[in-house]
Amino acid sequence: MQEIDLHDLSDDADYANSLQQGASSLTRSDSSKRSSASEPDGTEVVYLKDNVSIHPTQYASQRISGRLRLIKQGSSLFMTWIPYKGQSSNARLSERDRNLYTIRAVPFTDVRSIRRHTPTFGWQYIIVVLSSGLAFPPLYFYNGGVRDFLATVKQHSFLVRSAEDANVLLVNDFQDPLQRTLSSLELPRAVSVANGLSSAISAGESPSNEYQQRTEGGTIDGSASNIHHNRRQRKKAQDPARDLSSQVLEKFSRVTRLARETTSHLFRESHSDGFGANESKNHNLTPHQYPSNVASIDAYKVPSKIPVASDPLEVDKLTLVWGKPRQPPLGSEEWLAFFDSEGRIMDSKALRKRIFYGGVDHRLREEVWPFLLGYHAYDSTYAEREYLVSVKKSEYETIKKQWQSISTEQAKRFTKFRERKGLIEKDVVRTDRSLSFYDGDDNPNVNLLRDILLAYSFYNFDLGYCQGMSDLLSPILFIMRDESESFWCFVALMERLGPNFNRDQNGMHSQLFALSKLVELLDIPLHNYFEQNDCLNYFFCFRWVLIQFKREFEYDRMMRLWEVLWTHYLSEHLHLYFCIAILKRYRQKIMGEEMDFDTLLKFINELSGHIDLDATLRDAEALCICAGENGAASIPPGTPPSLPTEVGLLYTQQDDDVL
């Protein structure tokens, strides 16, 4: 009973659950304590907790459970999380998926902060953010133990509560000018890490060997990690999901001269203090090695001229081989030929392939988009779709009446409703007003935008409304022209892109992390350049990913890109390869002009309206085919958009317990 006696009831979000799982937890804990005696000399397990879980998706049945340990070696503290072997609770999660999330011997010198979450209902969890700006997925403590974990960390590292957010504990915190400068951009700094792309070290290996390899083998992070260590994120007390979109969309291009000066100052300090990157061995590292720091390495030297390395894939030649020419848009006769006599689409894959290579004629989009978004099932009949439209129209009216029935007196006592309504009303009058469809004062279509977004904030009350959603809804309403149909198509789209606006920002984090790993796989010189110039967080691609390139193209070409992405023909993550295709087209300019983060951010924003859509789609197709299974393995499971396109909303049934 020793393990249960150590539980602090005030620390357990679900004490009953811990009692139910106590027996298995005790068995694992006892065996692990026995095995700890076999640790190498000088290594001590100072904290161990079983049944600590990671959730790759929103469904509780798909969690991956494992053992969390804090290991002391000399004066250094390391954290590991190893998933249990042979878990069979969910056949959809492969052993590769579990290994992807393994956390192997991360030194706390690489950790920036630990955020503790204590929800009213559910289990406590922590998010560990690294100095590089990367973050591990949330670690859920199903049997309690967060308090003991933090107490143990505090015994062996400098841990202080953030003055700006009581839930954030800063590890080895050092204030510096760069942190204050970057806070003016008000951009979130954590990118979620699926850690199978880490150093190859088995669960039974000695940590001392890994640590020795880190010291002898150089580092991936180097001084870039040191810079990120000094770039503390400023947290706000208000709704972080709303802050996320507001900050990115309104302040993304506010690059300051002070930031550039401070960055240069830090590089000079790094040079004089002897911190930096030893890059002599980095080119031998695989994309599956995890960022690490070393205690003492050669002084960093800022090159006077960065030579532009050649493109290892020679994307132009690659596109000639694998990037097929674009076709004319899908026309009316072709569209009708896909249906049988009862209205079922006979070959959905062939249809999606056709749209992938040519898009859809504008006059057909009202009919085709509901299928691409998953609102209508491909195998539904005319009669079934007609019935669905009728049922959904009635359901939408019920949802709409919920917010319309709120009186002025009620609204005074309903802060969340007032805040969301105010933000929506401010956003819709600024959304796509250059289009005649939304132009002019008292435009009824602007009012429809407002009504649909308010209805969605009640339909999905947990997510609510975040700035950027109006950008995603606007083209749908422009095409569908019907309030109810637009609402349900928007709901279908948000099933895929909703995680972009989640409070924990995990959807964006996982996509930016996957983007970094794909660049590392497909263009290692460009990856190394971004690493040297403190750009591995890929925040300069944030707007692209958040609203699916909405601001980068004129309206019709943007809609053409969207319907190509919605086909999920080659990959549901084609948008990430599209990002890489753009970067590779401008790699010569980026590297040749030695762009730092601020300059690159400004350059990327100024590309709006200057990207060749057809050529970039061909490049993206070629890169996706070239990456193959290695590319798919670089993307963490559940990374948005992850909803299958073959299933319509009417027929979708989820048997999983939703968190």
Side-chain angles (χ1 to χ4, degrees):
M1 296 296 294
Q2 211 170 12
E3 176 72 6
I4 294 180
D5 291 340
L6 290 174
H7 284 162
D8 182 349
L9 295 186
S10 64
D11 194 35
D12 284 358
D14 196 333
Y15 181 62
N17 187 69
S18 75
L19 290 180
Q20 292 172 5
Q21 300 188 20
S24 60
S25 177
L26 282 170
T27 302
R28 292 192 184 102
S29 297
D30 290 343
S31 63
S32 63
K33 286 173 183 175
R34 288 193 297 270
S35 65
S36 66
S38 62
E39 297 288 346
D41 293 340
T43 300
E44 176 187 4
V45 177
V46 294
Y47 176 88
L48 183 149
K49 191 66 182 176
D50 278 306
N51 290 327
V52 177
S53 301
I54 282 175
H55 292 269
T57 72
Q58 63 181 329
Y59 301 112
S61 63
Q62 297 186 22
R63 69 176 181 263
I64 304 174
S65 298
R67 175 174 296 161
L68 179 68
R69 296 192 301 173
L70 293 177
I71 301 172
K72 185 74 179 298
Q73 185 179 56
S75 60
S76 300
L77 184 67
F78 298 82
M79 182 184 78
T80 68
W81 179 83
I82 308 296
Y84 300 135
K85 292 184 178 180
Q87 297 187 64
S88 58
S89 61
N90 189 352
R92 284 176 286 182
L93 290 174
S94 66
E95 195 64 28
R96 186 198 70 185
D97 293 337
R98 294 188 178 92
N99 292 335
L100 188 68
Y101 289 93
T102 300
I103 301 173
R104 304 183 186 276
V106 176
F108 268 78
T109 53
D110 286 358
V111 176
R112 172 197 296 169
S113 64
I114 303 171
R115 171 176 279 273
R116 174 179 180 172
H117 293 258
T118 309
T120 305
F121 301 101
W123 297 276
Q124 293 188 14
Y125 63 94
I126 62 170
I127 298 177
V128 177
V129 182
L130 300 179
S131 305
S132 62
L134 304 178
F136 294 108
L139 294 168
Y140 288 81
F141 286 69
Y142 274 78
N143 291 335
V146 173
R147 181 172 296 178
D148 290 342
F149 173 83
L150 295 176
T152 305
V153 173
K154 190 171 184 178
Q155 289 177 10
H156 303 282
S157 297
F158 180 67
L159 198 64
V160 60
R161 192 179 301 276
S162 170
E164 297 171 342
D165 190 335
N167 293 316
V168 174
L169 298 169
L170 304 177
V171 181
N172 303 322
D173 181 46
F174 301 99
Q175 295 295 324
D176 64 84
L178 184 57
Q179 176 236 331
R180 294 190 294 272
T181 299
L182 289 175
S183 68
S184 67
L185 284 174
E186 299 183 348
L187 299 177
R189 307 304 300 168
V191 180
S192 181
V193 174
N195 203 16
L197 311 175
S198 61
S199 306
I201 170 174
S202 68
E205 279 182 327
S206 165
S208 60
N209 294 335
E210 167 70 0
Y211 309 155
Q212 184 177 1
Q213 291 169 6
R214 289 170 184 258
T215 305
E216 294 175 354
T219 177
I220 301 177
D221 251 0
S223 63
S225 179
N226 183 47
I227 295 171
H228 274 305
H229 177 76
N230 292 319
R231 292 169 65 164
R232 297 286 185 264
Q233 177 184 356
R234 183 174 58 148
K235 298 287 185 180
K236 286 193 172 184
Q238 60 198 59
D239 189 337
R242 186 174 69 246
D243 287 348
L244 164 66
S245 301
S246 302
Q247 293 157 10
V248 171
L249 295 177
E250 292 187 342
K251 302 181 181 180
F252 205 85
S253 60
R254 297 184 183 179
V255 181
T256 65
R257 177 183 177 186
L258 178 58
R260 291 190 290 272
E261 292 174 347
T262 309
T263 304
S264 301
H265 176 67
L266 263 177
F267 273 114
R268 289 194 295 271
E269 284 185 349
S270 300
H271 177 69
S272 62
D273 292 342
F275 292 97
N278 180 0
E279 299 171 354
S280 60
K281 299 182 181 180
N282 284 354
H283 297 290
N284 297 324
L285 300 176
T286 71
H288 298 282
Q289 288 179 294
Y290 190 76
S292 59
N293 285 339
V294 291
S296 177
I297 47 184
D298 295 339
Y300 182 88
K301 297 181 180 179
V302 181
S304 58
K305 182 69 175 179
I306 299 179
V308 178
S310 61
D311 187 340
L313 291 179
E314 297 187 54
V315 69
D316 292 333
K317 295 181 181 178
L318 193 72
T319 300
L320 288 175
V321 176
W322 282 316
K324 296 180 181 178
R326 309 302 298 167
Q327 300 175 12
L330 175 72
S332 179
E333 290 186 8
E334 278 186 285
W335 168 241
L336 293 175
F338 279 101
F339 290 91
D340 66 13
S341 59
E342 294 185 338
R344 298 181 184 89
I345 292 178
M346 296 178 289
D347 191 342
S348 63
K349 184 175 181 180
L351 173 63
R352 291 186 291 112
K353 179 179 180 180
R354 176 65 181 86
I355 296 172
F356 177 86
Y357 284 109
V360 179
D361 186 279
H362 181 72
R363 293 164 293 183
L364 289 177
R365 282 173 172 153
E366 181 181 354
E367 299 178 43
V368 178
W369 279 20
F371 288 95
L372 292 177
L373 288 168
Y375 173 46
H376 289 323
Y378 288 107
D379 60 356
S380 62
T381 65
Y382 293 126
E384 288 171 337
R385 292 195 291 274
E386 185 178 351
Y387 175 73
L388 174 67
V389 169
S390 175
V391 170
K392 291 297 183 180
K393 183 177 181 63
S394 176
E395 186 176 345
Y396 173 70
E397 292 300 327
T398 300
I399 297 170
K400 185 175 178 180
K401 288 175 182 177
Q402 291 177 355
W403 68 264
Q404 287 181 328
S405 64
I406 295 176
S407 67
T408 305
E409 288 301 313
Q410 281 181 294
K412 290 179 180 178
R413 297 167 178 82
F414 198 167
T415 303
K416 185 66 70 176
F417 172 71
R418 293 198 315 273
E419 289 177 349
R420 289 177 176 176
K421 186 171 184 288
L423 187 57
I424 289 171
E425 289 176 342
K426 279 196 293 186
D427 285 351
V428 295
V429 298
R430 300 182 296 186
T431 302
D432 294 333
R433 296 309 292 272
S434 60
L435 290 178
S436 59
F437 187 74
Y438 293 113
D439 190 21
D441 297 332
D442 299 321
N443 188 315
N445 296 320
V446 175
N447 294 334
L448 285 179
L449 269 182
R450 178 202 61 200
D451 291 354
I452 293 172
L453 291 170
L454 276 169
Y456 183 78
S457 73
F458 273 71
Y459 174 82
N460 188 350
F461 199 82
D462 287 341
L463 183 59
Y465 175 78
C466 304
Q467 192 172 16
M469 290 183 182
S470 62
D471 279 284
L472 297 179
L473 171 61
S474 171
I476 293 176
L477 179 59
F478 175 72
I479 291 298
M480 302 304 298
R481 305 293 171 112
D482 178 85
E483 184 175 357
S484 173
E485 293 289 275
S486 298
F487 173 81
W488 291 111
C489 284
F490 179 67
V491 167
L493 179 61
M494 292 303 292
E495 287 293 316
R496 305 177 185 187
L497 300 183
N500 286 6
F501 304 94
N502 277 350
R503 182 179 295 270
D504 63 6
Q505 304 169 14
N506 202 42
M508 288 299 301
H509 298 166
S510 61
Q511 289 174 88
L512 293 178
F513 170 73
L515 181 58
S516 71
K517 304 315 293 182
L518 289 173
V519 172
E520 186 176 8
L521 175 70
L522 294 167
D523 195 337
I524 191 66
L526 184 61
H527 169 81
N528 290 339
Y529 176 83
F530 286 153
E531 180 183 32
Q532 295 163 9
N533 288 273
D534 196 23
C535 298
L536 282 183
N537 53 33
Y538 281 82
F539 284 138
F540 49 86
C541 297
F542 202 105
R543 186 176 74 184
W544 290 353
V545 175
L546 182 71
I547 54 174
Q548 300 286 282
F549 307 93
K550 168 76 184 308
R551 306 281 180 87
E552 316 313 318
F553 298 95
E554 60 91 18
Y555 217 68
D556 185 69
R557 299 194 71 75
M558 173 272 297
M559 292 190 291
R560 178 68 46 81
L561 173 61
W562 278 15
E563 55 205 15
V564 169
L565 297 178
W566 293 345
T567 64
H568 288 191
Y569 172 64
L570 284 181
S571 168
E572 63 188 25
H573 300 108
L574 186 72
H575 67 297
L576 299 180
Y577 293 99
F578 194 84
C579 291
I580 299 171
I582 298 173
L583 294 175
K584 287 177 78 67
R585 279 194 166 263
Y586 292 97
R587 71 190 301 278
Q588 184 77 21
K589 183 176 180 65
I590 292 170
M591 300 170 70
E593 296 184 8
E594 303 180 15
M595 294 185 185
D596 60 11
F597 177 83
D598 294 332
T599 309
L600 180 58
L601 178 60
K602 184 174 183 293
F603 172 72
I604 292 296
N605 284 329
E606 291 173 349
L607 284 179
S608 177
H610 301 285
I611 301 171
D612 186 327
L613 176 61
D614 289 344
T616 308
L617 278 172
R618 290 187 65 183
D619 291 350
E621 177 190 6
L623 290 168
C624 183
I625 294 172
C626 181
E629 292 183 357
N630 290 330
S634 299
I635 303 174
T639 298
S642 56
L643 183 73
T645 59
E646 293 290 336
V647 183
L649 293 180
L650 178 63
Y651 313 100
T652 301
Q653 296 292 331
Q654 295 291 354
D655 296 326
D656 298 283
D657 295 327
V658 180
L659 290 178

